[in-house]
Amino acid sequence: MQYTLWKDLKFIIHTMWKHDKLLFVYCGIYTLMSASLPLALLFFPKLLLDELMGDGEVFKVVFLLAVFLIISCTCSFLGTYIEQKCYPRIIRLRFIFIEAHQYTCLTAPYENTESPGFNDDVYAAFRCLNNNSTGIEGIMHLLFQLPAKMISCLGYAAAVCHAQPLLLLLVLLNIVLSYRMKGSVQKKNEKKEPEIVRSGRRSQYLNRVMSELEYAKEIRLFHMADRFLARFYEEKEKEERLHFFIDRNLFSLDFFEAALNLLLTGVTYGYLLYEALHGRISVHGFLMYVAAMEAFTAGAAGMLGNFSFISQKEIGR
């Protein structure tokens, strides 16, 4: 059966909906709270500076501070509370996938137990189920947080577009180039994934054989210790070389993204400073636009990283 990213995501979301519909209600509340807070932090300083540089009435200033304090405290508390409350619910969903994985292993035809391809698939599926941060659970956490990040980025994008649409185009160009580079690096890394799975499964099997007391007598009688150790180290070294290849590609990608971000930051600050010096934007407007650009660039980069993580095919086959 041919699997695709969208089929995998549809399967995960369908399973989440089937077993925990209340989680989607919590996700909606979390999205509202988490998306409101960064937008309030963006626009409040400008409103406060406008008031201070205008009439400067004490009542209005105190009122703005009180409103901001209530909004920030409420959104921060509820967002953090709901996120922590839903964390164990998502862990519980991961155990549903683990049960399905174990059921598949226990009910598989006997001839598959000797198939290297089947064992590689079992090992790859287990890799995406054995922790809270990667694989299926990592994707579920990202899906839970993604709507809030998208709404925040849209708010930042609106503020940047109000300053200068060309700045928004520069950021979008940076995102497109980074995403294309991530896709290229990801394809190179994916080609090594079957070899990593194969080496990991073999080294795990050799380690289990060498650790079992029931095999100790045979290993000593037939003088197989050196052979087992040599094969174990061979598979481990192969796995380390493959991980080094992937890490080197990721380092090159990070270097490329840092250079792009440095260029974008220089152009952005240069343009906004030029506009402020010529009186086309106020000082508080300048501060808000700089904060919006920084937040939008960071938010877009974070979303790009999330999409890249989700599309890395760590769901298992």
Side-chain angles (χ1 to χ4, degrees):
M1 182 177 179
Q2 183 66 34
Y3 289 86
T4 63
L5 172 64
W6 298 114
K7 285 184 179 179
D8 286 335
L9 289 178
K10 183 179 178 181
F11 172 68
I12 291 176
I13 294 172
H14 173 74
T15 305
M16 294 170 69
W17 175 259
K18 179 180 177 181
H19 293 280
D20 196 349
K21 294 181 177 62
L22 187 60
L23 184 64
F24 288 81
V25 177
Y26 284 129
C27 180
I29 301 173
Y30 172 82
T31 299
L32 180 63
M33 296 297 103
S34 297
S36 301
L37 181 59
L39 295 179
L41 291 172
L42 175 64
F43 291 104
F44 172 75
K46 183 178 184 303
L47 295 175
L48 184 61
L49 287 172
D50 284 340
E51 184 60 35
L52 290 174
M53 298 180 71
D55 297 335
E57 295 184 14
V58 176
F59 174 77
K60 290 183 178 180
V61 173
V62 173
F63 177 76
L64 285 174
L65 287 171
V67 170
F68 173 73
L69 183 63
I70 293 171
I71 292 175
S72 61
C73 290
T74 303
C75 292
S76 181
F77 172 78
L78 287 178
T80 303
Y81 174 78
I82 292 173
E83 184 179 12
Q84 296 303 315
K85 182 179 179 62
C86 292
Y87 200 95
R89 302 178 78 97
I90 295 177
I91 293 176
R92 199 156 50 238
L93 288 171
R94 176 167 66 94
F95 279 95
I96 294 173
F97 288 99
I98 291 175
E99 289 177 6
H101 174 261
Q102 293 175 337
Y103 178 81
T104 302
C105 294
L106 291 173
T107 58
Y110 180 75
E111 57 268 18
N112 287 340
T113 59
E114 300 296 328
S115 170
F118 176 79
N119 290 325
D120 286 346
D121 290 341
V122 170
Y123 180 78
F126 179 74
R127 286 180 65 202
C128 73
L129 293 169
N130 64 352
N131 63 79
N132 304 104
S133 57
T134 61
I136 286 181
E137 186 175 337
I139 289 174
M140 288 191 289
H141 285 301
L142 292 181
L143 290 175
F144 184 83
Q145 300 168 358
L146 196 58
K149 293 181 179 179
M150 292 179 67
I151 294 174
S152 298
C153 279
L154 288 175
Y156 295 142
V160 173
C161 190
H162 184 267
Q164 176 54 261
L166 288 177
L167 292 178
L168 182 61
L169 290 177
L170 282 175
V171 177
L172 293 177
L173 179 62
N174 181 26
I175 293 172
V176 171
L177 289 175
S178 297
Y179 191 78
R180 292 295 298 271
M181 285 294 296
K182 281 182 181 290
S184 177
V185 170
Q186 182 177 311
K187 288 180 180 178
K188 292 181 180 179
N189 292 344
E190 282 179 0
K191 293 179 180 178
K192 302 295 182 182
E193 187 65 23
E195 299 180 44
I196 293 176
V197 170
R198 192 177 305 115
S199 295
R201 178 183 61 80
R202 289 174 177 174
S203 62
Q204 186 184 64
Y205 172 77
L206 290 168
N207 183 61
R208 186 169 65 248
V209 171
M210 290 187 295
S211 303
E212 291 289 343
L213 293 177
E214 60 188 80
Y215 297 113
K217 182 178 179 181
E218 287 79 3
I219 291 175
R220 288 199 304 270
L221 284 175
F222 296 103
H223 304 287
M224 299 175 65
D226 291 338
R227 182 177 179 181
F228 270 98
L229 283 173
R231 188 63 187 276
F232 175 77
Y233 288 136
E234 178 185 344
E235 295 297 337
K236 276 297 182 183
E237 288 175 1
K238 187 186 299 183
E239 193 175 358
E240 288 179 4
R241 286 197 301 269
L242 292 169
H243 280 296
F244 177 78
F245 174 83
I246 292 175
D247 290 340
R248 185 178 59 187
N249 289 338
L250 293 177
F251 175 79
S252 301
L253 176 64
D254 290 341
F255 184 83
F256 174 78
E257 289 183 337
L260 275 180
N261 288 332
L262 182 63
L263 179 62
L264 176 65
T265 302
V267 172
T268 301
Y269 276 82
Y271 171 78
L272 292 176
L273 189 60
Y274 177 83
E275 293 290 299
L277 291 175
H278 286 77
R280 296 189 180 95
I281 57 175
S282 60
V283 175
H284 38 284
F286 170 79
L287 295 175
M288 188 192 74
Y289 292 138
V290 167
M293 277 294 299
E294 291 290 337
F296 179 63
T297 304
M303 286 182 56
L304 180 65
N306 291 347
F307 284 127
S308 178
F309 173 83
I310 291 174
S311 63
Q312 281 177 357
K313 298 183 179 179
E314 296 191 14
I315 300 176
R317 299 292 183 254

